[in-house]
Amino acid sequence: MTQNANYFADYKSYIEKYRGYEYREPDEIFEELIEECNYISGEGKDLIRQSYEMAKAGHSNQLRKSGTPYITHPLTVACMMLPYRPCPMLLSATLLHDILEDTDETYESVAAIHPDIANIVEWATKIRWASRDDPTGFSSEQARFETIRKILVASQKDIRILYLKIFDRSHNMMTISAMSPEGRQRMAEETAHVYIPLAKRCGLREMYHFLHGLTAEVLEQEKWKTMETFVTNKHESMVENSKKIHT
């Protein structure tokens, strides 16, 4: 029971932390990001800074469905990666991962920063959320197969693309409440069938567990709420009893 209580505590803390990034100043988030990159050389940090400036300019007039500045999304995804010490190319590509699809920037303009960054961004863009284009939802086996096929092809090009997509999906699941009920259902189903197994395969143990929780909040709402309430109450009771013992 203690283990379950600790899981819920860690889960809540993690989710609340990164959900809150949407409401922070982008430049403030970026400076914290750079400060945490103490394992990256000055040259690598320059690439990250160039990428951020391009992303910030490209997404300057764009908002997320929640109404918050769009640039906070790639910034948050990059910050979520930091405990895994990603290379500067991956962090840069993460900051730019929506630039080709959502702005007027081109592959060539991203490649001017670095060709490796452009390649990661281009392949990440190709792995589209299959259920966007499939009106029947992710129950379609064809849509599921197409997403998996694109992911397998991309992984042969560069394994970093998979890490980008897993963390990108994790943040999208955190902020899923801004979507329609149908959109939430489709995204959660795709996450359960594709991204949770991917996180496990890539050895991202924490992301694997957090994605499980995020999908359960959508696909098994009543069961999740009941379990969360029970474990939280049990944990509070244990804490209270511990205080009595030590007083």
Side-chain angles (χ1 to χ4, degrees):
M1 182 55 65
T2 302
Q3 185 176 2
N4 288 336
N6 289 337
Y7 166 76
F8 275 104
D10 290 344
Y11 174 83
K12 283 183 174 180
S13 175
Y14 184 86
I15 301 304
E16 287 173 5
K17 173 183 176 179
Y18 289 112
R19 277 178 178 159
Y21 275 43
E22 278 198 297
Y23 305 99
R24 294 180 57 192
E25 285 295 323
D27 286 348
E28 179 185 292
I29 300 173
F30 179 72
E31 291 306 324
E32 286 185 12
L33 171 70
I34 285 293
E35 188 174 343
E36 291 292 322
C37 293
N38 49 26
Y39 62 94
I40 293 177
S41 68
E43 184 179 350
K45 289 180 181 179
D46 287 342
L47 288 176
I48 297 170
R49 193 171 293 278
Q50 289 180 58
S51 300
Y52 172 60
E53 293 301 330
M54 177 181 283
K56 184 169 72 168
H59 295 302
S60 60
N61 297 316
Q62 297 175 352
L63 299 176
R64 303 198 80 205
K65 289 183 179 180
S66 59
T68 55
Y70 195 89
I71 187 61
T72 59
H73 166 60
L75 273 170
T76 304
V77 177
C79 288
M80 289 167 61
M81 287 183 176
L82 284 176
Y84 297 89
R85 297 171 68 88
C87 69
M89 301 299 176
L90 178 53
L91 280 174
S92 297
T94 300
L95 292 170
L96 291 166
H97 74 268
D98 286 325
I99 204 79
L100 299 183
E101 187 173 5
D102 296 338
T103 77
D104 293 330
E105 295 291 352
T106 63
Y107 174 89
E108 288 72 23
S109 62
V110 177
I113 298 177
H114 198 286
D116 283 359
I117 297 172
N119 288 334
I120 296 172
V121 172
E122 183 181 48
W123 275 98
T125 303
K126 289 179 179 179
I127 305 175
R128 291 180 58 84
W129 174 20
S131 50
R132 278 183 189 171
D133 306 315
D134 180 13
T136 65
F138 201 71
S139 57
S140 166
E141 290 294 328
Q142 185 176 359
R144 185 185 306 179
F145 174 80
E146 182 60 16
T147 298
I148 294 172
R149 184 190 68 79
K150 288 179 179 179
I151 287 172
L152 290 174
V153 172
S155 67
Q156 293 177 341
K157 299 289 182 180
D158 194 324
I159 193 66
R160 291 173 293 188
I161 299 163
L162 297 192
Y163 286 86
L164 195 165
K165 295 302 293 185
I166 290 168
F167 282 94
D168 178 35
R169 175 50 59 94
S170 297
H171 186 240
N172 283 330
M173 285 296 297
M174 287 181 196
T175 55
I176 200 172
S177 61
M179 299 179 67
S180 67
E182 295 80 9
R184 291 197 294 269
Q185 182 76 15
R186 291 196 300 269
M187 180 179 281
E189 287 177 358
E190 185 181 64
T191 301
H193 288 291
V194 177
Y195 288 93
I196 288 176
L198 266 183
K200 186 176 183 180
R201 292 279 185 178
C202 289
L204 300 173
R205 185 171 177 271
E206 286 187 345
M207 300 312 300
Y208 168 79
H209 289 299
F210 286 132
L211 282 172
H212 260 298
L214 289 163
T215 54
E217 284 192 64
V218 178
L219 301 179
E220 301 176 87
Q221 292 182 33
E222 292 305 317
K223 181 179 178 181
W224 176 264
K225 288 177 182 177
T226 300
M227 186 186 304
E228 183 178 28
T229 301
F230 175 77
V231 174
T232 301
N233 291 341
K234 197 71 174 177
H235 179 63
E236 290 174 353
S237 175
M238 290 168 63
V239 170
E240 190 61 32
N241 288 335
S242 178
K243 288 180 180 178
K244 291 178 181 178
I245 292 172
H246 293 91
T247 55

